Amino acid sequence: MEITVVQGDITRQQVDAVVNAANRAMRGGGGVDGAIHAAGGPAVLEDCIARFPRGLATGDAGWTTAGELPARWVIHVVGPNHRAGQTDRTLLTSCYARALEVADELGAATVAFPLVSAGIYGWPKDDAIAAAVETLAAAESAVAEARMVAYDHATYAAIRQSLPTT
């Protein structure tokens, strides 16, 4: 699997699946979650309600339609909320591993990832990047491209610098 990084808007990525950094309730929220729900339209929320009536556990992943997004699916992951004391790094790495497992079940070849838990959940950015890159690099998956999408240039540069050289 090739790990790439781009700077841009995750809701505009031309990929098979977009990963959403969701909250446990799976009913939309702020940050990446709010952007994906806004761009995907009501179909994303309707599918979340139907598929996840009790929400989703921290560290887990599940999929819904992508609605009006250019992607076919949204793979929702629930990252740990560092600010609320959820500091177990395995919950963070599980988000990436489980997202790839779901992508494999769906047959998704290209997947766009945000930097999970590094926004309002307060995970230290350098460690969030390391957790993402380490997990994706070690994963056995049929996904051809795992695309890290950074909203700002500083995050893009930090992710790019951390990517393994080939």
Side-chain angles (χ1 to χ4, degrees):
M1 170 176 38
E2 180 182 14
I3 304 170
T4 61
V5 60
V6 298
Q7 182 179 343
D9 181 343
I10 197 163
T11 67
R12 296 177 185 259
Q13 299 301 305
Q14 299 282 335
V15 291
D16 295 326
V18 169
V19 174
N20 179 25
N23 59 51
R24 291 188 67 216
M26 300 289 292
R27 301 297 181 262
V32 170
D33 195 16
I36 285 175
H37 277 269
V44 177
L45 179 58
E46 290 168 11
D47 214 9
C48 280
I49 292 167
R51 291 180 182 275
F52 309 103
R54 292 178 183 86
L56 198 60
T58 302
D60 204 0
W63 67 275
T64 65
T65 181
E68 298 171 29
L69 292 168
R72 185 166 176 193
W73 301 286
V74 175
I75 299 173
H76 304 266
V77 299
V78 180
N81 187 337
H82 198 276
R83 285 195 173 100
Q86 295 177 333
T87 58
D88 181 350
R89 193 176 194 257
T90 62
L91 291 173
L92 180 57
T93 58
S94 177
C95 290
Y96 294 95
R98 285 286 300 128
L100 289 173
E101 289 171 9
V102 171
D104 284 342
E105 291 168 14
L106 293 169
T110 54
V111 181
F113 288 86
L115 196 54
V116 176
S117 290
I120 62 169
Y121 279 6
W123 201 278
K125 192 175 280 188
D126 288 346
D127 190 52
I129 292 168
V133 172
E134 290 164 12
T135 305
L136 294 172
E140 292 186 23
S141 172
V143 170
E145 180 192 3
R147 182 182 304 168
M148 297 295 304
V149 181
Y151 191 73
D152 61 79
H153 183 73
T155 303
Y156 164 80
I159 295 170
R160 185 166 179 211
Q161 185 176 18
S162 73
L163 292 180
T165 55
T166 54

